[in-house]
Amino acid sequence: MDGVIPLNKPKGMTSHDCVNRIRRLLKTKKVGHTGTLDPDAEGVLPICVGKATKIASLLTGQTKEYVAEISLGTLTTTEDHSGEIVKKEAVSSTLEIETCEDILSKFLGTIEQTPPMYSAVKVNGKKLYEYAREGIVIERPSREIQIHSIKMLSNEITWYNDYDVRFRFKVTCSSGTYIRTLCVDIGQGLGFPAHMSDLKRTKVGNFDLKDTYTFQDLETALNNDDLPFINMADALTIPSLYVTDEEAKRYHHGQVLDQPDNQCYSSLFKVVDESNHLIAIYQPHPSKRGKVKPFKVF
């Protein structure tokens, strides 16, 4: 069992909960996820099984797409609806959807983001949420993220009350982007406290929500001996080098080799054999010009 299962994570489960359930279903310990999705969020969570756990870090770094709902008027400790309220301010009745759309456009491109206190980012060897649970707020280093696209989905603002005013948007972004924090920052741009009221991850790299499986789907597939594993070669979005079975042997043995003819790789590339199996991941040699060396071999 080597491959990637495109799971549709349900609300109410942590990413680690999902890994544990897959381990029980498949009766194997070699299972890992490809990037934490908040317990209250749902959507695409690729799960790596067997040898595919070796590519989990590469899948984690892929571009992601989300559909999010922002609630204006209230800020919470966790920056989503599960946290305690720390600030409330009535939203102006004159706020228009066009104004919200204009603010969204200002977040397009490279922006600075400070990770939330309730996150798994480590500072001084300790996860931020561990500090937060102790009631400690510490300085967090900002980092650059990429917002590739951001689009308003709502045709109008939904008013639940003066402290809960919502709209939905779609965002495509780099790995490491906190949509909760993005919602808070959008609220600041509009002049109001805000939090994320709903989140669905709709895409991770090559994995689309429409191609995912629920746990019920997986249990049915397991009973029919037809589990939906995605080939490791297909799961990765890095450039490809297709080789013959004879050539594949040299890559499988992890040899330092000449840069492939008529190919120019500036970073990692996957080596795939005639059966579409992932043989290895290679990279340019750091000191030997015109040579490539293994990054991972399978």
Side-chain angles (χ1 to χ4, degrees):
M1 291 187 291
D2 302 314
V4 183
I5 295 175
L7 179 68
N8 185 348
K9 187 190 92 65
K11 291 183 178 181
M13 293 183 72
T14 67
S15 299
H16 192 63
D17 289 339
C18 294
V19 167
N20 284 338
R21 187 163 175 181
I22 296 285
R23 283 174 177 161
R24 290 195 297 271
L25 278 173
L26 303 185
K27 297 180 173 60
T28 180
K29 291 183 178 180
K30 211 167 184 183
V31 180
H33 65 74
T34 55
T36 302
L37 190 55
D38 290 342
D40 290 336
E42 60 184 327
V44 184
L45 181 65
I47 301 289
C48 295
V49 180
K51 290 181 181 178
T53 53
K54 290 185 176 182
I55 66 170
S57 61
L58 297 178
L59 296 179
T60 300
Q62 295 182 126
T63 297
K64 298 174 175 66
E65 178 187 87
Y66 298 88
V67 170
E69 182 183 68
I70 181 174
S71 172
L72 301 172
T74 305
L75 174 67
T76 69
T77 51
T78 57
E79 301 184 350
D80 60 19
H81 68 85
S82 66
E84 297 177 4
I85 295 173
V86 293
K87 186 177 181 181
K88 291 183 73 172
E89 183 179 328
V91 178
S92 170
S93 60
T94 60
L95 181 66
E96 298 180 344
I97 193 71
E98 290 79 12
T99 304
C100 300
E101 196 163 11
D102 288 342
I103 288 295
L104 290 184
S105 66
K106 297 184 186 302
F107 288 86
L108 189 63
T110 302
I111 64 172
E112 291 278 329
Q113 189 179 74
T114 303
M117 279 301 302
Y118 280 89
S119 67
V121 173
K122 284 188 175 181
V123 175
N124 298 325
K126 190 173 180 178
K127 293 178 180 178
L128 286 176
Y129 68 75
E130 293 174 328
Y131 289 108
R133 288 171 181 171
E134 295 172 7
I136 301 170
V137 177
I138 65 169
E139 288 292 321
R140 289 99 71 198
S142 297
R143 56 189 181 183
E144 283 191 351
I145 59 166
Q146 295 286 330
I147 303 296
H148 303 297
S149 68
I150 187 165
K151 178 184 177 183
M152 177 68 74
L153 294 182
S154 299
N155 293 320
E156 59 184 21
I157 299 172
T158 301
W159 292 74
Y160 290 92
N161 57 61
D162 289 346
Y163 303 96
D164 187 6
V165 178
R166 305 185 189 185
F167 62 84
R168 302 180 75 83
F169 63 93
K170 179 186 286 188
V171 58
T172 304
C173 55
S174 61
S175 176
T177 301
Y178 284 91
I179 308 301
R180 288 177 282 146
T181 302
L182 181 61
C183 288
V184 171
D185 292 342
I186 290 169
Q188 288 179 345
L190 290 166
F192 304 105
H195 67 274
M196 183 185 74
S197 47
D198 190 52
L199 183 67
K200 179 181 288 187
R201 188 153 70 188
T202 50
K203 198 167 185 179
V204 177
N206 286 336
F207 298 96
D208 194 283
L209 184 62
K210 63 181 174 58
D211 301 317
T212 58
Y213 296 82
T214 64
F215 278 113
Q216 185 174 354
D217 293 333
L218 294 179
E219 288 171 359
T220 300
L222 185 61
N223 290 334
N224 296 328
D225 198 25
D226 186 30
L227 278 170
F229 282 112
I230 303 299
N231 184 301
M232 289 192 290
D234 294 332
L236 289 168
T237 57
I238 58 178
S240 305
L241 173 66
Y242 294 96
V243 298
T244 65
D245 289 341
E246 187 61 33
E247 291 171 323
K249 293 176 183 177
R250 295 183 297 160
Y251 288 96
H252 184 68
H253 290 141
Q255 296 178 11
V256 173
L257 300 168
D258 291 334
Q259 180 86 259
D261 291 341
N262 303 318
Q263 301 283 351
C264 182
Y265 296 106
S266 59
S267 58
L268 298 177
F269 62 95
K270 56 189 176 185
V271 182
V272 184
D273 69 11
E274 294 173 337
S275 301
N276 199 39
H277 292 143
L278 182 65
I279 300 301
I281 298 173
Y282 263 65
Q283 61 188 336
H285 200 288
S287 59
K288 296 181 180 179
R289 186 176 179 84
K291 299 284 187 179
V292 294
K293 59 173 286 189
F295 175 73
K296 290 182 185 290
V297 175
F298 302 94

